[in-house]
Amino acid sequence: MKIYTNDDVSPDSLKGERIAIIGYGSQGRAHAQNLKESGADVIVGVRAGGAGHTKATADGLATAEIKDAVKDATIIALLTPDMSHADIYKNDIEPYAPKGAALLFAHGFSVLYGRVTAREDLDVILVAPKGPGDLVRREYQRGRGVPSLFAVDRDVTGQAARKALGYARGIGGTVGGVIETSFREETETDLFGEQAVLCGGTSELILMGFETLTNAGYRPEIAYFEVLHELKLIVDLLYEGGLEKMHSFVSETCKYGDLVSGPRIINEETRERMEEVLNDIQSGDFARDWILENMAGRPRYNALMRQDLEHPIETVGRDLRSRMSWLNQKGNG
């Protein structure tokens, strides 16, 4: 498997390119700042007077309305939330993008599920850092980088891969290492990871652990520490050195409990449920459900989110975290 680094991508890959960053949220802000500091010609497309415009201006970046930002751009990075892509592309990008420009995404959802069908003269590429925007920015500032994926869905100009890899280098990705993928692979694995493990699986595991302990009569503060607070310690070990490092830093008792009890919690039934989640993603059922949910005003989403945020673990957690002054120190995390 080829992993692209700075040795594979010229620092001049973006020479002569004008990059329009559309949106100034988590990824947009990080990409724009990193690209500018890498020497790229960057303009941010945002609504005049909006929060993104205010932040981008304060950060010293050139800004314009989206349609004006894309007019002279050779790379147009659409970094707003997925559900906004269809309207923004139709109204503010498609009529104004120059012929032969590259339309770039940080996630393949809109292309894979037909939310955006790019004009036939446009390259369609993807650069997806494997981390949130804040981390992309912090690692760049430290001279490091977040590993990234890149993909080419359409290469009209013959320059699509060069532009994608140049962009990846500009945001720091080639320091962490860049791997080629496809829009389908990136989207389906990303959605699965979020739902089954990183967010959905982890949050439900935490809540069930908390409820099991408190239902058995243990104090909620103790339960919080055991099933949520200490999770970061374990995740950090896994992140830094996989299962081997995690096992080397926990006690023998912990390791034995891991080996004999872990498979009782996460078992073949769990795998079957995971396969169901993956099937929903691969078939497009999840995407259709999420699109319809947005069209309906997100009633189910809002109810489920409210239920999550009103869980007792949140009340206990807010109180305990308020006593942990180091959590609010700038640059922590």
Side-chain angles (χ1 to χ4, degrees), residues 145-288:
V146 173
S148 302
L149 304 177
F150 88 96
V152 175
D153 188 65
R154 184 198 295 162
D155 185 6
V156 177
T157 66
Q159 299 297 314
R162 175 189 63 78
K163 289 180 180 181
L165 285 168
Y167 187 101
R169 177 175 177 131
I171 63 173
T174 48
V175 178
V178 178
I179 298 174
E180 185 170 9
T181 185
S182 66
F183 272 64
R184 178 174 295 279
E185 183 178 53
E186 185 279 331
T187 303
E188 292 178 350
T189 56
D190 187 74
L191 291 174
F192 176 80
E194 292 169 348
Q195 295 174 32
V197 180
L198 305 177
C199 298
T202 298
S203 60
E204 287 303 310
L205 190 65
I206 290 169
L207 294 180
M208 286 192 180
F210 180 86
E211 291 168 2
T212 300
L213 287 174
T214 55
N215 289 344
Y218 298 102
R219 284 174 291 167
E221 293 81 5
I222 303 300
Y224 175 89
F225 279 123
E226 293 302 330
V227 304
L228 191 154
H229 179 81
E230 290 194 42
L231 182 64
K232 182 183 186 312
L233 309 178
I234 301 302
V235 169
D236 283 350
L237 293 172
L238 290 167
Y239 177 81
E240 292 165 6
L243 294 173
E244 182 179 5
K245 184 165 185 176
M246 186 269 286
H247 283 308
S248 69
F249 275 81
V250 299
S251 70
E252 293 295 320
T253 303
C254 178
K255 280 185 275 196
Y256 182 66
D258 169 345
L259 297 172
V260 300
S261 297
R264 297 170 63 191
I265 305 300
I266 308 299
N267 52 32
E268 285 304 313
E269 183 178 354
T270 311
R271 191 194 309 276
E272 291 174 7
R273 301 291 84 77
M274 285 186 170
E275 289 172 353
E276 290 176 4
V277 168
L278 182 57
N279 288 337
D280 284 346
I281 292 167
Q282 292 173 325
S283 69
D285 286 348
F286 169 77
R288 284 188 287 272

